[in-house]
Amino acid sequence: MSDRSPFSLTRRGLLAGGGALVVTVSLARPLPAQTGNGGGARPPKPAPGSLAQTPRLDAWVRIGADGAITVFTGKAELGQGIRTALLQVAAEELRVPPAAITLVTADTARTPNEGYTAGSQSMQNSGTAIRAAAAQARTLLAEEAARRFGAPADALGFADRRVTAPDGRSLGYGELAASLDLTVDVPPDAPLTAADRLSVMGRPLPRVDIPAKVTGGAAYAQDLRLEGMLHARVVRPPSPAARLTALDAAGVEAMPGVAAVLRDGNFLAVVADKEYRAVKAMRALAAAARWEETATLPGDTPLPDLLRGLEREVGTVDAKGEAGAIEDGPRSLRARFTRPYQLHGSIGPSCGVAVMGEDGLTVWSHTQGVYPDRKAIAEMLRLPVERVRVIHTEGSGCYGHNGADDAAADAALIASKLPGRPVRVQWMREQEHAGEPYGPAMMIEAAASLDGNGRIDRWTFDVWSNTHTTRPGGAGALLAARHLAEPFPAEPAAMQITPAGNGDRNAIPLYAIPNSRVLWHFLPDMPLRVSALRSLGAYANVFALESMMDDLALLAGADPVEFRLRHLEDPRARRVVELAAERFGWTGTASAPGFGHGFAFARYKNHAAYLALAVELSVDRGSGRVRMTRATAAIDSGEIVNPDGIRNQTEGGIIQAMSWTLFERVAYDDTRVTSVDWASYPILRFASVPDRIDVHIVERPGDPFLGTGEAAQGPTAAAIGNAIRAATGRRLRDLPFTPDRVRESTATG
């Protein structure tokens, strides 16, 4: 991948644009005096999506004098297809083909600050904002054309970036834009296209990011090549508490092509003119380093004992009715569930590129948050934040907070020592596995009882969990900053109970239960470095909750689907449950011995997409191997922008959650992580992919967008567990369901 010099785009060049709709990039909210909402006026309607933070139209849409259209988003393409969906949204409202729009994604010099691309909120936040901004831009173009034509605005036509009058006269978008000043706020009620007139949204569109990925083109940060670029490799401490005690780097410095060996405390790196020379020098440097290691990991301590010992605080997530303790009896049930530490498992190890120039530092990264990453890097280097620019460049794997921010910090730190030369840092596989922040281990203890009518009358749910997020914001979130001679400490974790949830995400059942209580046993510190993995706490919480629902259905003598419907009042929830069961052909029993059917449901975060899932699998009792043969999902994501995108995300979520549920677990001893390759950390292989996955989308024209990307994670784990229970008569409660665990369970059945 080639890229022009980062210094070819100056502030003056960025602001120049005579004869364009947008002549500035105004990202800040205007002062109250600018809003025109004087004293005594009715409070304005809340701005939708990210317009609440960045209301100015010129932050989202630009139309040049030549009619070229540029749309800006602070969200990043992480493989979820957001570039395609956002293009569709903008194209719909601007009345142009998606190919006529240039989309600029997360860049601290050009795009709005939309925080992190996380939580399946890109369409809810950025998609909603872009749609409203594009609709308002179209309205202003129409009003200007109507003024010039002397014709009603609603009588005008739009085609080929031109506005046409009833008598055939037409004006190009660029001509009209030259007369407009859009340094104005987007009104909260911008006139959106009616659902029955949509022509781009709601239809499949091939993803714009796919061609380069499947043809070997330049698609990722890993492909980035800048003129004069140097290649760097970092020698990581061999264990979390290791300390560098001695180093003889003379031999490495004399190796061919080596430009520098850098050491600052426990941060150790080598820079060379070519990539393989950097790899060879890294290996030589690692052999020349001497480390003092301390045992700080839990070794073979049972996970429940470990997590109980880490508890420091208990918070009430939810309580209603009489939420007291549940007595054991024939109409009650209690169980404990665990989820281990798990990897993001990005196929491409993390990469970052940086260059220190006269105007400051520019970093290319596959981070989930360019603005937070900029803040952390600036703090680490003790630079003013405005002297750091972070540009998102897609990475080959994400799924949450992986090593992307750390690789960017490595590159930034090294580039700051070698001004004027771009520096590329590429992690190795063992560094990614051992160094990335893991998905946190969790434990859930649940109890429930039934009344005389077979309905749940009491429910308790206790979650032992970390926050699930240590994303950058402060320098202490970056490995490089922690390893310096003057290290930046990690920010202390604090329990925050919010509607979206973190470790407690989806711990509150969506079912109608009169007496319930949900507690979060908070773990501020964990022995392994952890952060956000796709769906955060929802994966384990839904697994536990939906496993309980199946076992309670058995206790009530009810079909699992009917039992769920008995407790669901939300009509949209009922719809996906009924649709998934219908399309799967749910009968409650499998078609042959050794096969099992399983069902699960959740609404992600209890306010995003609804998803119900039915699966069929077989269990080989001799080997313990579980083979899923088919899966049928029903999903309600609100208004549909790209149905193929929703199906892609749902299918991918099912397959990834299958891998977590059947295979994945980080291994460690008392000093080091030992899951450092694909042999010691196995993931789902192609031979284990289901024969068939069907995704049925509920159409909701005109409804708000709902997040899709993480909706399948929890239901998949629960549906698999429920199907194994149906096939073997044994309930597995400790993830993952490895062949050894399945075999041991069925042997004692």
Side-chain angles (χ1 to χ4, degrees):
M1 180 183 293
S2 62
D3 202 319
R4 62 182 178 178
S5 166
F7 311 114
S8 63
L9 179 64
T10 64
R11 287 180 174 83
R12 178 174 297 174
L14 183 64
L15 300 180
L21 180 87
V22 177
V23 294
T24 62
V25 178
S26 301
L27 305 185
R29 172 179 287 280
L31 296 174
Q34 297 174 295
T35 65
N37 182 29
R42 176 183 296 180
K45 180 180 178 181
S50 292
L51 289 175
Q53 292 75 42
T54 309
R56 296 278 283 271
L57 195 155
D58 58 352
W60 303 96
V61 177
R62 173 176 184 157
I63 300 176
D66 59 354
I69 301 172
T70 306
V71 170
F72 302 87
T73 174
K75 297 298 184 180
E77 176 64 63
L78 305 173
Q80 79 279 45
I82 197 66
R83 285 177 55 199
T84 307
L86 293 179
L87 282 171
Q88 287 182 263
V89 166
E92 184 69 69
E93 297 300 344
L94 289 168
R95 304 287 193 267
V96 298
I101 297 174
T102 298
L103 180 69
V104 177
T105 61
D107 179 341
T108 58
R110 304 184 69 189
T111 65
N113 182 355
E114 294 193 82
Y116 296 105
T117 304
S120 300
Q121 298 179 92
S122 292
M123 290 307 298
Q124 291 169 295
N125 294 338
S126 203
T128 299
I130 288 172
R131 186 178 185 188
Q136 183 62 11
R138 183 195 74 240
T139 298
L140 294 173
L141 290 170
E143 289 174 351
E144 175 62 16
R147 184 185 68 80
R148 297 194 194 184
F149 293 143
D154 58 6
L156 304 179
F158 295 82
D160 299 324
R161 288 179 286 182
R162 301 188 69 82
V163 183
T164 305
D167 61 7
R169 288 177 294 161
S170 69
L171 289 167
Y173 282 11
E175 298 172 75
L176 295 166
S179 300
L180 295 173
D181 175 12
L182 293 194
T183 56
V184 295
D185 286 4
V186 178
D189 54 354
L192 306 180
T193 301
D196 60 356
R197 297 187 61 190
L198 297 177
S199 60
V200 182
M201 288 173 52
R203 289 164 172 74
L205 180 71
R207 276 177 47 175
V208 297
D209 59 312
I210 294 297
K213 294 175 180 177
V214 300
T215 59
Y220 301 116
Q222 287 86 348
D223 301 319
L224 191 64
R225 298 293 185 272
L226 302 180
E227 185 177 351
M229 188 170 72
L230 296 170
H231 296 268
R233 287 294 191 278
V234 176
V235 176
R236 290 285 180 219
S239 55
R243 185 172 63 89
L244 184 59
T245 58
L247 176 69
D248 182 1
V252 178
E253 291 170 337
M255 292 178 69
V258 170
V261 172
L262 304 174
R263 177 189 176 182
D264 188 335
N266 290 326
F267 182 83
L268 185 58
V270 61
V271 186
D273 60 346
K274 297 184 183 300
E275 185 167 19
Y276 188 57
R277 284 177 169 177
V279 173
K280 292 176 65 177
M282 176 200 69
R283 291 172 177 159
L285 191 60
R290 297 292 176 265
W291 301 86
E292 179 181 274
E293 298 187 70
T294 304
T296 59
L297 301 185
D300 58 1
T301 303
L303 194 56
D305 296 343
L306 170 66
L307 298 179
R308 287 186 194 280
L310 295 171
E311 178 186 320
R312 294 294 180 270
E313 183 180 1
V314 180
T316 300
V317 179
D318 185 64
K320 60 183 177 182
E322 299 177 2
I326 297 171
E327 296 182 1
D328 292 335
R331 304 286 287 177
S332 66
L333 178 71
R334 67 179 63 252
R336 184 184 70 197
F337 304 85
T338 63
R339 170 250 178 107
Y341 293 98
Q342 292 178 317
L343 288 174
H344 295 80
S346 299
I347 295 300
S350 295
C351 180
V353 178
V355 60
M356 178 66 82
E358 294 179 1
D359 290 348
L361 177 74
T362 301
V363 181
W364 290 263
S365 172
H366 49 111
T367 174
Q368 285 186 287
V370 291
Y371 280 90
D373 202 26
R374 177 180 71 163
K375 180 177 180 291
I377 289 171
E379 181 183 353
M380 177 184 71
L381 298 179
R382 294 178 170 84
L383 288 172
V385 71
E386 61 271 14
R387 283 182 54 79
V388 178
R389 176 185 180 186
V390 179
I391 304 169
H392 183 268
T393 306
E394 193 176 353
S396 53
C398 181
Y399 319 120
H401 177 195
N402 64 358
D405 300 276
D406 296 308
D410 293 341
L413 180 58
I414 297 168
S416 72
K417 310 295 185 184
L418 300 167
R421 296 292 300 274
V423 174
R424 176 180 180 270
V425 173
Q426 172 68 65
W427 280 20
M428 308 296 284
R429 170 53 55 197
E430 63 272 17
Q431 292 175 332
E432 186 78 26
H433 272 41
E436 67 149 72
Y438 305 126
M442 291 177 62
M443 179 173 70
I444 297 101
E445 291 186 349
S449 62
L450 301 175
D451 63 17
N453 297 317
R455 294 180 62 95
I456 304 170
D457 62 355
R458 291 182 181 274
W459 176 276
T460 63
F461 200 82
D462 290 68
V463 179
W464 278 260
S465 178
N466 177 264
T467 63
H468 283 250
T469 179
T470 58
R471 290 188 175 102
L478 305 172
L479 278 181
R482 293 188 189 185
H483 292 159
L484 297 175
E486 297 182 15
F488 290 83
E491 295 180 0
M495 179 169 60
Q496 294 181 320
I497 297 174
T498 64
N502 291 292
D504 60 325
R505 182 169 291 178
N506 276 100
I508 302 173
L510 202 65
Y511 300 105
I513 302 172
N515 306 292
S516 65
R517 184 216 67 202
V518 179
L519 300 181
W520 184 359
H521 301 256
F522 183 60
L523 319 178
D525 301 302
M526 302 198 87
L528 278 72
R529 182 180 179 229
V530 295
S531 193
L533 176 60
R534 196 175 187 186
S535 81
L536 279 66
Y539 169 67
N541 288 328
V542 173
F543 160 63
L545 194 159
E546 287 293 294
S547 296
M548 287 288 289
M549 289 299 291
D550 250 45
D551 287 346
L552 287 166
L554 185 66
L555 189 64
D559 175 82
V561 171
E562 187 278 325
F563 187 75
R564 286 172 171 81
L565 291 171
R566 187 184 300 179
H567 292 86
L568 282 173
E569 297 176 344
D570 184 335
R572 294 175 72 166
R574 295 179 62 86
R575 175 59 179 148
V576 296
V577 169
E578 291 168 344
L579 181 60
E582 173 194 338
R583 297 301 174 89
F584 180 81
W586 180 268
T587 62
T589 57
S591 58
F595 281 77
H597 290 170
F599 198 92
F601 158 80
R603 183 181 187 190
Y604 183 52
K605 297 189 290 189
N606 283 356
H607 62 249
Y610 300 80
L611 185 137
L613 178 68
V615 306
E616 179 182 73
L617 54 76
S618 64
V619 179
D620 185 317
R621 289 176 177 265
S623 67
R625 183 173 183 263
V626 175
R627 169 86 169 91
M628 189 193 294
T629 50
R630 65 187 178 105
T632 302
I635 185 167
D636 177 351
S637 294
E639 181 152 39
I640 300 166
V641 175
N642 187 340
D644 281 355
I646 294 174
R647 291 189 181 93
N648 293 162
Q649 283 293 284
T650 305
E651 292 171 2
I654 290 169
I655 291 172
Q656 183 180 47
M658 275 184 63
S659 185
W660 292 352
T661 303
L662 297 176
F663 298 99
E664 298 187 38
R665 174 177 51 189
V666 173
Y668 45 80
D669 55 28
D670 61 358
T671 304
R672 297 184 178 187
V673 170
T674 57
S675 298
V676 294
D677 53 30
W678 296 122
S680 52
Y681 189 87
I683 62 174
L684 188 82
R685 302 301 176 106
F686 282 107
S688 298
V689 172
D691 300 331
R692 180 171 180 174
I693 300 178
D694 297 308
V695 178
H696 303 281
I697 306 171
V698 178
E699 295 188 4
R700 296 287 180 186
D703 278 4
F705 302 134
L706 299 179
T708 296
E710 298 161 282
Q713 309 305 114
T716 300
I720 291 173
N722 292 337
I724 292 174
R725 171 76 170 77
T728 67
R730 306 295 294 176
R731 167 65 66 189
L732 298 180
R733 298 187 175 92
D734 297 309
L735 295 165
F737 305 148
T738 60
D740 286 347
R741 283 181 170 171
V742 174
R743 187 172 59 250
E744 290 169 6
S745 173
T746 55
T748 59

